[in-house]
Amino acid sequence: MQPTRGHRCVPHTADVRIEAWAPDRAGCVAEAVAALVGSFTEADGAPPRAERVFHAPPAADEDLLVAVLDEVIFRMETTDELPLATEVIDNGVDGLLVRWRTTATTDLDLTGAVPKAVSLHELRFGPDGDGWSCAVTLDV
């Protein structure tokens, strides 16, 4: 039996594939962010250094998920920071408001290939049984 909230990496031929699930859309997005970061780093013990906010404007569910994950990759590449914790606020109308506690990439140990982009191939995000789930391929 799968826990009500979580994430994992699953085998994939050349890239990285992540799956996430939660009782609601916002929680699933937060779990997907954790899966993305966890796919290539070890964050245990890293100190939080800043708080950041990102607004993903209203869009289709899959587009919202991609926007948030793309923002994580963009911030990693441009500001050398990654989220340690993610809170997603979803009022169902205004898109998603994402709050991150971040750390410097230099504070993390790399354990895998660093994602360069979110692939739209086989992207899945939506209601699933009693909650929400997603599956995303990350180009490395």
Side-chain angles (χ1 to χ4, degrees):
M1 181 173 212
Q2 187 165 282
T4 56
R5 184 178 180 119
H7 60 269
R8 65 180 169 218
C9 288
V10 294
H12 193 268
T13 312
D15 295 311
V16 173
R17 184 108 169 131
I18 59 173
E19 294 179 348
W21 57 92
D24 56 26
R25 183 170 81 156
C28 191
V29 171
E31 287 295 331
V33 170
L36 182 153
V37 174
S39 74
F40 68 98
T41 64
E42 181 59 52
D44 291 344
R49 298 197 181 269
E51 290 190 19
R52 302 288 185 234
V53 175
F54 172 68
H55 178 250
D61 294 330
E62 289 178 342
D63 294 334
L64 284 170
L65 176 63
V66 170
V68 172
L69 296 178
D70 277 344
E71 184 68 12
V72 171
I73 294 169
F74 173 77
R75 288 176 186 242
M76 175 183 60
E77 292 174 348
T78 61
T79 63
D80 292 322
E81 64 185 11
L82 283 168
L84 292 172
T86 302
E87 175 190 9
V88 179
I89 299 166
D90 178 5
N91 68 9
V93 176
D94 298 323
L96 300 175
L97 179 66
V98 183
R99 291 188 177 132
W100 286 301
R101 279 187 300 124
T102 64
T103 194
T105 56
T106 55
D107 290 337
L108 301 172
D109 293 326
L110 294 180
T111 59
V114 177
K116 302 295 182 206
V118 177
S119 173
L120 300 180
H121 181 68
E122 296 183 346
L123 175 67
R124 180 182 50 78
F125 179 47
D128 184 12
D130 292 334
W132 281 68
S133 69
C134 68
V136 180
T137 301
L138 304 171
D139 296 332
V140 294

